[in-house]
Amino acid sequence: MLNPEILLKAYRLMVTSKAMCTIYDANRTICKYVHSSSRGHEAIQIATGLQLQSQDWVSPYYRDDSLMMASGFQPYELMLQLLAKKDDPFSGGRSYYCHPSNKDGIRPSIIHQSSATGMQAIPTTGLAQGIQFIEEHHQTLLKKGANNELPVVVCSFGDNSITEGEVSEAFQFAVLKQLPIIYLVQDNQWGISVTAEEARAMNAYEYAAGFKGLKRLQCDGSDFSRSYETMQDAFEYVRTERKPVLVHARVPLLGHHTSGVRKEFYRTREDLLKHGLYDPIPKLRLLLTGIGFNENEINEIEIAAEKDVNEAFEKAQTAAEPTKDLAENHVFAPTIIKEETGTRTPKSSEKTIMVDAALHAMEEIMQDYPEAILYGQDVGRRLGGVFREAATLAEKFGDHRVFNTAIQEAYIVGSTIGMSALGLKPIVEVQFADYIYPGLNQLVTEISKSCYLSYGKFPVQMILRVPIGAYGGGGPYHSGSIESTLLTIKGIKVCYPSNAADMKGLMKAAFLDPNPVVMLEHKGLYWSKVAGTEDAKTIEPDKDYILPLGKANIVLHADNENLKRGETVCIITYGMGVYWAKEAANNFPGKIEILDLRTLYPLDEELIFSSVKKHGKVLVLTEEQQNNSFAESLSLRISNNCYHFLDAKVEVMGSLNLPAVPINLVSEEAMLPNAAKLADRLEKLLNY
């Protein structure tokens, strides 16, 4: 209940926050990195932070420093991030002010937070999704409060972020599944220089009415008493009912948008004066005097707060800077999978098609790991995936572990962040490679950066399965190649198996890897229906077989005699390229070595370079359009590292540089590489 002690604590936090804002503004040359502050937003933030408990999760946004302090974080900790110091507890000096992460178990937990407006909605809703699953099916992972209180998730953002499409995906999933989450929307009527009238037809409270099952609350976010009571209602509702609620709080913006976009750049004096009338600090001070606190007591709080802030700021300035040797730490979490283990070709097994090898790997994973969950479009009970890649899994493991989602690629991808943070192991699927692009925002902005910017606290353990590639007239939106796009993203791993045994072994390794792994699975190899791909069927490895990421494989060796005469070529390829290469090699018996990359990142440079140096002639083969591709990039890397061993320039062969794969079979054939086209290139290279 709201009492004088809470009011006094709130005031102390408010004036502390104000003192921090003042000292930052007075020391702009010291506070050189871009930052924002909570001036004007203090009341609703403190009302929220004071009610968060250690078992809860919160995703603050970039001006939530008052919320952070009310949750138990100290000004000095925040200042270490402000000044990008080595001991910044959130990111090790890598991220902006008030971009926290925390898993100390004492204060509320916080997954990696980014600056991208509204993007925290999906990962944070993924937390609520995971908590619901844990409550219902995996109690051993459930963390409760001191008095057995259930965890609540809070997602905080500004009102202008509500217009982002990904926020609506999060709302949709939250109401569909009735998740235990509070969406706190702080509405200050500004989106940098854009006014509410310019940007939106309605505020968040009005917008939320369209999401059936989302409880709505509204308050004056500059009034601490009203804010506290509203948030108390919200927390009580979510803790007990386990359903979502949106709180819309109207607040003034008294500070700058950020230190780099100052209020005087775009706001009038009249506007600033109008917002100033709703300053939460004078309001709460008046309330304190009204309930019996005298002016001296209140002044002493302000003086003490200013003193503490000054001391913390002085201390933070002298804290150590990160050293250069730390810059590359925590790009990935270390993986335990280093060597190939288990039985790849058991005598009792039969040949299996790739899609079944993947399915069996999934089944074995789900048998051994109850925290493994599979979801995506059409992977559930009725269909089991459009390629039958998840067939029977829902029947075997239940609809709570294998289920369909809406057409929400961003949610499918981004929700894995929250799930992983809770100790779950999500495996998700985007139905076709061409449809991954709505999910790239989460993959790039959130997933790939999470381990690095949380300083190793929150690597995202997930597998993203992506059927890929062209064959048989699939057309422009079901045939695309995306590996070059993915490989520009640092902080993710990318596999591209070409046969059933590799598929199963890599799937197991990807699951056990504590980092995000994208599994590219060629549709034309799934069933070996494409002519020349019979070798994609292999003996199925045993359950214990694991193939580590980053290990290429020589699938065809050249003869030593031809090698000695300098009459050989090494083809470096992956996916469908392996089978074009095998067929073309029939024209040059003993003269072709084929290296199957299997994993595109990490890349087996050691085997690549040793093969190139051995042969002196090399062709990099890809299904992708050639210009600006991964294959061209690899060719340059080979040239730079093997220059003195090359007998000819590194050749690259890919598809025609068209914007899409045509549906007409003749046009598709014209675009794609094939064995005949490859043979012509090899003959020229051999005769060079």
Side-chain angles (χ1 to χ4, degrees):
M1 294 293 293
L2 193 56
N3 57 44
E5 183 182 346
I6 292 174
L7 293 173
L8 202 62
K9 183 175 184 180
Y11 190 74
R12 184 179 295 109
L13 289 164
M14 276 192 195
V15 294
T16 299
S17 177
K18 181 181 179 182
M20 291 163 67
C21 179
T22 301
I23 203 169
Y24 300 165
D25 215 30
N27 293 273
R28 291 175 62 185
T29 55
I30 295 170
C31 305
K32 58 189 175 183
Y33 303 112
V34 66
H35 58 273
S36 190
S37 81
S38 57
R39 279 298 287 128
H41 293 231
E42 298 97 335
I44 187 63
Q45 290 185 19
I46 293 168
T48 303
L50 290 177
Q51 297 181 67
L52 283 163
Q53 300 177 8
S54 62
Q55 78 276 15
D56 295 333
W57 292 77
V58 60
S59 287
Y61 87 118
Y62 53 79
R63 63 173 74 254
D64 275 355
D65 53 5
S66 287
L67 189 155
M68 289 292 293
M69 288 191 292
S71 302
F73 297 89
Q74 299 304 309
Y76 177 67
E77 294 177 286
L78 298 176
M79 291 172 183
L80 288 173
Q81 186 167 54
L82 171 82
L83 303 178
K85 297 294 188 175
K86 175 184 175 183
D87 292 330
D88 155 26
F90 310 125
S91 71
R94 291 173 174 175
S95 201
Y96 311 94
Y97 181 64
C98 207
H99 285 60
S101 57
N102 181 58
K103 57 181 302 186
D104 63 13
I106 301 167
R107 298 168 291 193
S109 297
I110 307 171
I111 54 175
H112 153 68
Q113 298 298 307
S114 77
S115 292
T117 306
M119 293 306 100
Q120 71 270 40
I122 285 176
T124 311
T125 304
L127 282 168
Q129 178 188 351
I131 286 172
Q132 184 185 73
F133 176 84
I134 287 168
E135 281 184 56
E136 295 175 357
H137 307 289
H138 213 306
Q139 285 276 327
T140 55
L141 292 176
L142 183 62
K143 181 183 176 185
K144 294 185 180 180
N147 297 310
N148 220 32
E149 301 98 336
L150 290 170
V152 166
V153 177
V154 175
C155 183
S156 170
F157 27 41
D159 195 72
N160 263 31
S161 66
I162 304 303
T163 55
E164 286 278 9
E166 293 189 14
V167 174
S168 69
E169 288 195 22
F171 286 177
Q172 161 68 20
F173 199 91
V175 296
L176 178 67
K177 302 295 186 179
Q178 289 292 281
L179 302 179
I181 186 168
I182 299 170
Y183 296 108
L184 170 60
V185 182
Q186 301 172 53
D187 186 358
N188 63 29
Q189 299 289 296
W190 285 97
I192 309 184
S193 69
V194 179
T195 64
E197 290 76 15
E198 290 177 276
R200 63 191 193 225
M202 64 199 79
N203 66 32
Y205 182 82
E206 295 160 336
Y207 181 64
F211 293 90
K212 184 179 178 181
L214 180 58
K215 182 180 176 68
R216 297 180 300 149
L217 300 172
Q218 196 164 212
C219 69
D220 177 354
S222 68
D223 183 313
F224 179 74
S225 297
R226 297 287 178 266
S227 296
Y228 192 90
E229 290 164 359
T230 302
M231 293 310 300
Q232 193 171 46
D233 289 345
F235 274 96
E236 177 66 20
Y237 178 77
V238 178
R239 282 208 202 281
T240 56
E241 298 297 322
R242 315 306 286 153
K243 294 178 180 179
V245 59
L246 180 139
V247 177
H248 174 249
R250 300 178 303 279
V251 292
L253 179 60
L254 303 182
H256 308 290
H257 169 69
T258 65
S259 57
V261 184
R262 300 178 66 79
K263 58 189 177 185
E264 59 267 22
F265 293 176
Y266 61 93
R267 295 174 68 183
T268 64
R269 181 173 179 273
E270 290 73 22
D271 175 73
L272 293 169
L273 288 171
K274 182 179 71 174
H275 277 246
L277 295 174
Y278 296 93
D279 190 334
I281 295 177
K283 284 186 174 186
L284 185 52
R285 183 183 177 110
L286 187 62
L287 177 59
L288 288 174
T289 58
I291 63 172
F293 291 97
N294 63 52
E295 293 289 334
N296 287 338
E297 288 177 289
I298 298 172
N299 290 339
E300 285 176 7
I301 289 172
E302 294 174 357
I303 293 167
E306 187 172 343
K307 178 176 179 290
D308 291 344
V309 166
N310 285 332
E311 289 175 354
F313 189 64
E314 289 295 324
K315 184 180 177 184
Q317 288 179 65
T318 60
E321 300 284 337
T323 52
K324 291 181 179 179
D325 62 298
L326 299 175
E328 294 184 275
N329 288 0
H330 303 299
V331 175
F332 293 105
T335 178
I336 59 171
I337 306 302
K338 306 286 189 182
E339 302 295 335
E340 187 173 3
T341 58
T343 306
R344 182 178 173 96
T345 53
K347 295 178 181 178
S348 58
S349 290
E350 297 180 354
K351 283 194 173 183
T352 305
I353 56 176
M354 271 184 67
V355 72
D356 283 351
L359 175 63
H360 298 159
M362 296 288 296
E363 181 175 348
E364 290 165 2
I365 286 167
M366 298 192 82
Q367 285 171 348
D368 291 344
Y369 297 91
E371 65 272 32
I373 303 171
L374 169 66
Y375 55 97
Q377 296 163 30
D378 297 304
V379 301
R381 183 181 297 265
R382 293 184 196 87
L383 188 60
V386 294
F387 301 101
R388 304 294 287 159
E389 71 280 5
T392 74
L393 293 179
E395 288 86 345
K396 291 174 179 175
F397 300 104
D399 297 327
H400 62 292
R401 291 185 65 194
V402 182
F403 55 89
N404 294 328
T405 66
I407 302 173
Q408 294 182 329
E409 287 84 4
Y411 188 86
I412 292 167
V413 173
S415 59
T416 63
I417 301 168
M419 302 284 273
S420 174
L422 289 159
L424 300 174
K425 301 184 189 303
I427 304 166
V428 294
E429 181 178 313
V430 169
Q431 205 160 71
F432 291 92
D434 306 82
Y435 300 140
I436 199 173
Y437 297 101
L440 279 188
N441 203 358
Q442 289 291 323
L443 196 62
V444 174
T445 307
E446 308 299 330
I447 288 176
S448 70
K449 295 175 174 61
S450 182
C451 187
Y452 188 71
L453 293 182
S454 70
Y455 215 62
K457 290 190 289 294
F458 289 105
V460 181
Q461 184 170 13
M462 59 88 83
I463 298 177
L464 173 57
R465 296 184 65 184
V466 185
I468 191 171
Y471 79 101
Y477 290 98
H478 297 80
S479 307
S481 292
I482 60 167
E483 54 266 33
S484 291
T485 299
L486 292 175
L487 290 165
T488 63
I489 306 169
K490 313 311 174 192
I492 66 170
K493 300 183 180 184
V494 181
C495 299
Y496 203 140
S498 68
N499 61 69
D502 289 349
M503 172 73 87
K504 188 170 185 180
L506 288 172
M507 190 75 79
K508 294 290 185 74
F511 179 80
L512 295 171
D513 197 301
N515 302 288
V517 182
V518 181
M519 186 73 66
L520 300 177
E521 307 173 15
H522 201 291
K523 307 187 307 291
L525 301 179
Y526 264 159
W527 299 289
S528 291
K529 288 184 177 179
V530 177
T533 63
E534 184 67 21
D535 286 349
K537 290 195 263 186
T538 68
I539 298 294
E540 181 173 346
D542 274 349
K543 181 178 181 179
D544 64 353
Y545 179 66
I546 301 173
L547 176 62
L549 277 55
K551 299 291 185 183
N553 183 40
I554 297 175
V555 297
L556 181 67
H557 291 268
D559 290 344
N560 284 332
E561 291 304 314
N562 291 324
L563 187 61
K564 290 175 183 177
R565 290 194 294 268
E567 297 177 354
T568 61
V569 171
C570 175
I571 301 174
I572 298 171
T573 189
Y574 55 94
M576 187 62 79
V578 172
Y579 300 96
W580 294 327
K582 282 186 173 184
E583 186 176 346
N586 291 332
N587 297 286
F588 312 99
K591 295 185 176 183
I592 305 298
E593 178 168 297
I594 302 172
L595 191 153
D596 181 359
L597 293 174
R598 302 198 291 200
T599 305
L600 307 185
Y601 192 89
L603 191 64
D604 192 348
E605 292 186 349
E606 183 180 353
L607 184 57
I608 292 169
F609 296 157
S610 67
S611 294
V612 171
K613 291 173 182 178
K614 184 169 59 175
H615 295 278
K617 296 177 182 178
V618 61
L619 184 148
V620 182
L621 174 63
T622 179
E623 183 175 321
E624 275 197 296
Q625 294 91 325
Q626 184 171 324
N627 280 11
N628 305 314
S629 64
F630 159 69
E632 284 196 333
S633 173
L634 179 56
S635 73
L636 177 62
R637 205 179 313 180
I638 291 169
S639 295
N640 288 342
N641 285 275
C642 306
Y643 177 78
H644 295 293
F645 298 87
L646 292 173
D647 299 323
K649 73 178 182 68
V650 179
E651 295 286 334
V652 180
M653 183 174 182
S655 291
L656 298 180
N657 295 299
L658 307 178
V661 181
I663 196 168
N664 177 272
L665 287 170
V666 175
S667 300
E668 179 190 79
E669 183 181 5
M671 178 184 181
L672 296 175
N674 59 35
K677 295 176 187 178
L678 178 58
D680 289 343
R681 293 283 293 274
L682 290 172
E683 185 168 10
K684 293 174 183 175
L685 190 54
L686 283 165
N687 292 329
Y688 182 82

